[in-house]
Amino acid sequence: MASVTHHRARKRFGQNFLRDTGVIGRIVRAIGPRPDDRLVEIGPGQGALTEPLLDAAGRLEVIELDRDLIPGLRVQFFNYPGFVIHEGDALKYDFAELRGDGAPLRVVGNLPYNISTPLIIHLLGAGSAVADMHFMLQKEVVERMAAEPGGPDWGRLSVMAQYHCQVDQLFIVPPEAFVPRPAVDSAIVRLTPHAELPHVADDPALLFELVKQAFGQRRKTLRNNLKGRVSAETLETIGIDPRRRPQTLSVEEFVRLANCVARHEAPATGEDTT
């Protein structure tokens, strides 16, 4: 087994290094890497997942922001010809360009809390460039992604993730699996982009803009949160009670709302509607 270099975890990068070999094995089995996979690991850290992924697939590309970790990774995996390091910020990475004309990417990573939500949103925008994603996240983030309408965890991230993907919460990872120990439980989630979207938004950017506005104040009704953008009458015409709160709406209902707004707003382009 390759030796693990010692590196002090950086608070600004939200680093917690996975050390439990049992958990590592379980994650790799959940991913199920194959020799023909185009695997991309975000934030390999000290290479805990990197080595078993390389052993299974034979090749692996990693994206690492912490420049202090990169020399150690190069030394640790120098004897793997299929190991490629991309130095940079995954939040700014063009995953469609990374895919190129090759097979869709299988993306994995132990994501720091401070970038997990924006990075997932960024990856959801990569469309067909991504085959699936396996991430270790804070348990509460995974619960929000996998939530069902009407529950306390259902929100903007739930709608965005489930619009694009099948979301499966796989298992919990306790704090003692990491060094240093985080203050909360983590969880493994699998995101599999839909081959065909169950509900198609005419304008996905508009959909997520409306979802964000609708969840602006969770305790308020749709009538209040969407005031100035969507009238109570419009909501009623598409079968949505304006007195409902945003956390009660399904993905299908949000898509229906967005498509209605898109149709109403399209003819008004360039016109004075006041």
Side-chain angles (χ1 to χ4, degrees):
M1 181 174 179
S3 62
V4 176
T5 55
H6 291 286
H7 171 87
R8 186 181 295 277
R10 289 192 175 186
K11 191 172 182 180
R12 72 186 180 96
F13 290 144
Q15 291 170 332
N16 297 94
F17 298 119
L18 184 61
R19 293 285 173 81
D20 188 308
T21 55
V23 170
I24 292 166
R26 193 174 178 190
I27 294 170
V28 173
R29 287 193 297 275
I31 295 168
R34 298 175 297 270
D36 58 344
D37 283 343
R38 182 81 187 280
L39 281 170
V40 178
E41 184 182 7
I42 295 173
Q46 295 181 345
L49 276 174
T50 309
E51 184 170 6
L53 290 173
L54 269 169
D55 287 338
R59 60 177 183 167
L60 176 70
E61 295 173 65
V62 302
I63 301 173
E64 180 55 67
L65 178 61
D66 187 345
R67 293 179 180 178
D68 290 348
L69 284 170
I70 291 173
L73 289 166
R74 291 195 193 282
V75 171
Q76 195 173 344
F77 301 109
F78 78 95
N79 58 338
Y80 287 90
F83 180 65
V84 178
I85 296 179
H86 301 285
E87 183 179 335
D89 186 349
L91 280 168
K92 299 173 183 175
Y93 227 83
D94 186 335
F95 287 90
E97 183 179 322
L98 181 62
R99 177 200 177 181
D101 297 326
L105 309 174
R106 301 194 68 201
V107 183
V108 305
N110 170 18
L111 302 186
Y113 177 71
N114 57 335
I115 71 157
S116 59
T117 299
L119 179 58
I120 288 167
I121 291 170
H122 178 55
L123 281 159
L124 292 175
S128 60
V130 175
D132 62 16
M133 296 168 264
H134 289 81
F135 292 131
M136 177 140 50
L137 307 167
Q138 274 202 355
K139 179 167 155 280
E140 65 177 51
V141 176
V142 174
E143 288 173 342
R144 292 210 307 270
M145 294 174 69
E148 295 184 358
D153 294 323
W154 182 256
R156 179 187 172 208
L157 184 59
S158 320
V159 176
M160 294 184 74
Q162 293 180 34
Y163 174 80
H164 288 287
C165 300
Q166 167 69 35
V167 180
D168 297 299
Q169 180 174 332
L170 301 183
F171 56 90
I172 305 300
V173 180
E176 53 268 26
F178 301 90
V179 176
R181 287 176 57 150
V184 296
D185 283 341
S186 300
I188 305 297
V189 66
R190 177 187 293 130
L191 303 173
T192 309
H194 299 301
E196 291 186 16
L197 292 174
H199 314 290
V200 181
D202 297 338
D203 183 346
L206 173 62
L207 168 65
F208 298 126
E209 181 186 323
L210 287 170
V211 169
K212 182 179 180 180
Q213 186 174 344
F215 281 102
Q217 298 184 68
R218 292 177 64 91
R219 293 179 180 274
K220 292 198 172 182
T221 62
L222 291 168
R223 183 203 303 266
N224 285 322
N225 285 343
L226 297 175
K227 192 173 182 180
R229 188 67 184 273
V230 184
S231 69
E233 291 74 22
T234 297
L235 288 165
E236 288 171 346
T237 61
I238 57 173
I240 296 175
D241 187 336
R243 295 170 296 182
R244 288 172 62 184
R245 287 182 168 78
Q247 59 267 36
T248 68
L249 266 67
S250 66
V251 172
E252 184 276 329
E253 287 175 310
F254 273 115
V255 171
R256 198 191 322 156
L257 169 61
N259 288 347
C260 176
V261 172
R263 287 192 294 271
H264 277 81
E265 290 187 348
T269 303
E271 298 177 10
D272 183 358
T273 58
T274 58

